[in-house]
Amino acid sequence: MSTKLNYKSGLLYLYWLMSGADGKKNFDPDDPEWKTMKLMREEEDINDDDFNTFINSDLGSPEDQLRNVLRNLDNASHAQKVRALSWMDLVMIADGDIHNKEYELYNRVKKHFNIDEEEVKKDKLQLPSIF
């Protein structure tokens, strides 16, 4: 499995975890988190087949998913890890309400990869936004 594929899988797992961290997963195309995920997929070249395969697989428990995120991103470059956190931040703020579980998850991943908040803020400015 290539690093790029690991990175893409990590992004999808992060989206899945972040979008469900508040206990409400929404598949409505008008949902801000869903719209952000669509932007992420376009920007990161994650096609429909890869996405459908991902969401139709057994994703396991949230802890299993987090372990998969960390494992998938372990081999990613530092810049890719920062980018993944930038997307995670955009999903977290998309609906205008940052749930404490979302923030805990974001900080846990950021701490695991020893990424500075300023790096994420700077990188996030380069990403498209639904706003």
Side-chain angles (χ1 to χ4, degrees), residues 58-128:
D58 178 11
L59 300 174
S61 71
E63 282 302 315
D64 291 338
Q65 293 171 39
L66 181 57
R67 276 191 295 278
N68 284 330
V69 164
L70 300 178
R71 187 176 59 238
N72 285 335
L73 293 179
D74 269 338
N75 294 323
S77 69
H78 182 76
Q80 286 175 318
K81 291 171 186 169
V82 171
R83 177 58 50 101
L85 277 161
S86 297
W87 282 116
M88 196 176 185
D89 187 279
L90 284 177
V91 171
M92 179 173 61
I93 65 171
D95 62 6
D97 182 30
I98 299 174
H99 190 275
N100 64 339
K101 293 287 186 189
E102 292 172 327
Y103 192 68
E104 287 172 18
L105 178 62
Y106 172 81
N107 280 320
R108 191 169 171 188
V109 173
K110 187 172 63 128
K111 182 179 178 183
H112 177 83
F113 290 120
N114 195 30
I115 294 176
D116 184 70
E117 183 69 27
E118 290 305 312
E119 290 179 276
V120 176
K121 287 179 182 179
K122 184 178 177 182
D123 186 73
K124 193 169 72 167
L125 295 173
Q126 299 174 34
L127 294 177

Side-chain angles (χ1 to χ4, degrees), residues 2-107:
S2 73
T3 299
K4 189 169 185 180
L5 182 58
N6 282 336
Y7 169 69
K8 289 179 181 185
S9 296
L11 287 175
L12 290 173
Y13 273 111
L14 278 175
Y15 165 74
W16 198 254
L17 280 167
M18 187 59 77
S19 69
D22 61 2
K24 301 177 271 183
K25 195 173 297 284
N26 194 337
F27 298 100
D28 180 350
D30 293 326
D31 177 69
E33 289 179 351
W34 188 262
K35 286 181 178 180
T36 301
M37 180 273 302
K38 293 287 281 181
L39 279 175
M40 178 187 77
R41 285 185 48 210
E42 289 171 19
E43 187 78 12
E44 301 294 341
D45 194 29
I46 301 171
N47 64 40
D48 290 341
D49 289 340
D50 289 341
F51 182 71
N52 290 333
T53 298
F54 173 80
I55 72 173
N56 289 314
S57 63
D58 178 11
L59 300 174
S61 71
E63 282 302 315
D64 291 338
Q65 293 171 39
L66 181 57
R67 276 191 295 278
N68 284 330
V69 164
L70 300 178
R71 187 176 59 238
N72 285 335
L73 293 179
D74 269 338
N75 294 323
S77 69
H78 182 76
Q80 286 175 318
K81 291 171 186 169
V82 171
R83 177 58 50 101
L85 277 161
S86 297
W87 282 116
M88 196 176 185
D89 187 279
L90 284 177
V91 171
M92 179 173 61
I93 65 171
D95 62 6
D97 182 30
I98 299 174
H99 190 275
N100 64 339
K101 293 287 186 189
E102 292 172 327
Y103 192 68
E104 287 172 18
L105 178 62
Y106 172 81
N107 280 320

